[in-house]
Amino acid sequence: MLDHLITHDDSLRMVPTDRNKLTAAIGQLHEELRALPEGRDPARARVLTRWIGIGQMCLGNHEEARAILRQSLDLAAAIGNTRAVVATGLNLGDAHRYAGDVRTADALYRSALNTARNQHPELVDFALQHTGKHLMERGDLADARAHLQEALRLRIAKEDAGLVESTQAALVRVEMLIGQADASAAGGAVPRQWSGQWTSWLQSRTTARTPARWAEDFPNLRDAVRGLTAHQRVYPRHLRDQSFPAELIAAMAEESEKAVAADGYLHNGKWNAAVGDAANRFAAQIDLAAVVARSTGLEVEQPHTGVYIDYEEGQFLDFHVDESGFGEANLILCLKHERPTGQSGVSTTVFINADGYLECDLGVGDCVVFDGALTPHGRTPLSPGESVTLISFGFRARDQALRMLTNLPPVPR
């Protein structure tokens, strides 16, 4: 309807080919919408509101775009058009992303992708494309590339040259950003590609899913892991009895539950959600930098980032190393651990170090500090009836030299 008036800029965002013509076309759609008998043709109203919203988004009128795209999404849901729910949900996600509302955009993209996978496989490539662009802008380049590569495979199978070209353009931009990140990391930070390759190597040789395999697996990992962990700024430390105020822990647990329910997104097999006021109050009242320094000897700044993590029955986190952006020290604090009765074992946070596997059974108020960029870590599967809620904080070393890593061991072959 407005396709001929819309193109993409260098960052792959939609922009008008001719601003005046697009504005006039949106005005005509508004006139048609106003002329519809109220409540008589919701299907046509849905189409008109969707395209008006897309046009307003391209013009940079974010508030108007979000309001009318929400109206279009509600109409799609009301008439039971789940295909339109997916498409309009992606458009509304774009509108929130363009306006800088990352949390709402993330929730909309995840919902649309989930619905597409379950009900409309013909739309999965579109959902992957939009989600991939979102992840790219958010800086989650590895996940962005994975989403876009899956979209490309689907679009090649569709034999639609225009769609294939669009996804290829997005992949070119992701690869460029990854290259830039790796180049900037050459001065000392851990390159994203290096971290991803180490993670792939670890997961090809062992898994957090099956602890029974660990004794058998470790001899094949020993030398490589020793070479990796020799560079650690922080060795894993399980901290108990920190005497954090119980009311602050409870407030974060409650906030996490609501955040995951409203805006949570699946990441590496568990639920993540953005932190909010309760977490910020905790970080303001507790000198977490001092906790890290006392336990590890590493002087760090106050946490610069945090995320809620929620595990449900059967979920686990396989062994990996983090990208360096999270910091030189990570602190994971347990907010809730519901343990099933009658079960012989529970889920634990687990590390691979120079001597083998280290499991930490975190109770409420317990925490563990480690160097996530250089310490392979994960979580074993949750038993039936078990659930775990955590918050993870990232810290930067005060000494700039400790942020710089050189002579890192190559990924084993």
Side-chain angles (χ1 to χ4, degrees):
M1 190 171 285
L2 298 177
D3 283 338
H4 63 294
L5 297 173
I6 297 172
T7 187
H8 292 84
D9 63 13
D10 291 341
S11 65
L12 305 182
R13 287 192 172 194
M14 290 186 291
V15 293
T17 57
D18 185 309
R19 189 175 185 86
N20 292 333
K21 288 183 179 179
L22 181 57
T23 301
I26 293 171
Q28 293 172 358
L29 296 181
H30 268 297
E31 289 180 8
E32 182 180 348
L33 181 63
R34 285 192 292 268
L36 289 177
E38 186 174 354
R40 294 286 184 86
D41 194 351
R44 184 59 180 170
R46 178 198 66 76
V47 173
L48 293 171
T49 50
R50 180 183 175 221
W51 279 105
I52 291 169
I54 292 172
Q56 294 285 21
M57 174 173 55
C58 294
L59 293 173
N61 300 325
H62 301 308
E63 186 173 350
E64 295 92 333
R66 286 179 290 181
I68 200 159
L69 282 169
R70 172 55 67 181
Q71 181 182 345
S72 182
L73 183 60
D74 291 343
L75 284 167
I79 63 179
N81 188 339
T82 54
R83 199 175 190 280
V85 167
V86 172
T88 311
L90 293 171
N91 299 140
L92 184 56
D94 288 344
H96 281 275
R97 169 164 60 96
Y98 286 20
D101 183 359
V102 175
R103 289 182 61 189
T104 304
D106 194 275
L108 287 162
Y109 290 130
R110 302 289 175 178
S111 176
L113 180 55
N114 183 59
T115 302
R117 288 194 189 281
N118 290 327
Q119 299 184 46
H120 293 284
E122 75 280 6
L123 296 180
V124 170
D125 60 309
F126 291 96
L128 288 165
Q129 175 90 354
H130 285 255
T131 306
K133 288 183 179 181
H134 162 65
L135 293 167
M136 176 173 61
E137 289 193 9
R138 199 176 71 179
D140 195 347
L141 300 180
D143 274 358
R145 178 165 56 186
H147 280 72
L148 292 169
Q149 286 173 336
E150 184 181 353
L152 182 62
R153 289 193 295 271
L154 294 172
R155 290 183 163 186
I156 290 173
K158 281 185 173 182
E159 299 182 346
D160 189 315
L163 295 178
V164 169
E165 182 180 356
S166 174
T167 304
Q168 286 175 331
L171 276 166
V172 167
R173 180 164 179 79
V174 167
E175 296 296 346
M176 180 194 72
L177 293 172
I178 289 173
Q180 290 175 347
D182 286 350
S184 66
V190 179
R192 293 175 186 269
Q193 188 176 19
W194 183 90
S195 302
Q197 290 173 347
W198 259 102
T199 293
S200 295
W201 185 84
L202 288 162
Q203 292 177 359
S204 71
R205 284 158 176 79
T206 189
T207 176
R209 184 198 292 267
T210 315
R213 281 181 42 187
W214 292 349
E216 178 183 347
D217 293 340
F218 187 68
N220 297 321
L221 303 172
R222 181 184 293 110
D223 291 342
V225 170
R226 283 178 177 172
L228 177 66
T229 58
H231 295 268
Q232 289 171 337
R233 282 73 54 97
V234 170
Y235 296 100
R237 295 285 187 273
H238 186 174
L239 309 180
R240 302 176 177 86
D241 303 322
Q242 291 299 303
S243 300
F244 296 135
E247 65 275 12
L248 296 181
I249 300 289
M252 287 190 290
E254 181 179 358
E255 180 177 77
S256 174
E257 182 178 0
K258 292 178 180 177
V260 168
D263 300 313
Y265 56 94
L266 278 172
H267 181 67
N268 291 340
K270 41 53 173 174
W271 291 98
N272 281 13
V275 298
D277 291 341
N280 293 332
R281 284 195 301 273
F282 177 81
Q285 294 184 39
I286 305 298
D287 190 350
L288 290 172
V291 173
V292 173
R294 283 196 306 268
S295 60
T296 67
L298 179 68
E299 296 291 335
V300 295
E301 299 170 352
Q302 293 299 330
H304 69 98
T305 188
V307 63
Y308 285 128
I309 303 170
D310 187 78
Y311 292 89
E312 299 172 348
E313 176 182 319
Q315 291 183 325
F316 72 102
L317 178 61
D318 220 342
F319 289 115
H320 65 287
V321 291
D322 297 335
E323 294 173 357
S324 62
F326 208 70
E328 287 66 60
N330 304 47
L331 184 148
I332 292 178
L333 170 63
C334 181
L335 305 177
K336 184 176 70 172
H337 191 165
E338 293 186 354
R339 301 164 183 263
T341 57
Q343 291 286 343
S344 58
V346 295
S347 174
T348 59
T349 300
V350 61
F351 304 91
I352 309 176
N353 58 31
D355 300 315
Y357 295 82
L358 171 66
E359 289 190 82
C360 297
D361 180 2
L362 300 180
V364 175
D366 285 355
C367 51
V368 60
V369 182
F370 60 102
D371 183 347
L374 295 170
T375 310
H377 58 284
R379 173 165 281 276
T380 60
L382 274 68
S383 302
E386 188 177 11
S387 64
V388 176
T389 302
L390 311 168
I391 184 169
S392 180
F393 293 103
F395 301 80
R396 291 291 194 194
R398 289 190 182 279
D399 184 348
Q400 293 283 333
L402 292 174
R403 302 184 186 183
M404 312 298 281
L405 290 168
T406 57
N407 301 316
L408 288 173
V411 180
R413 297 295 183 184

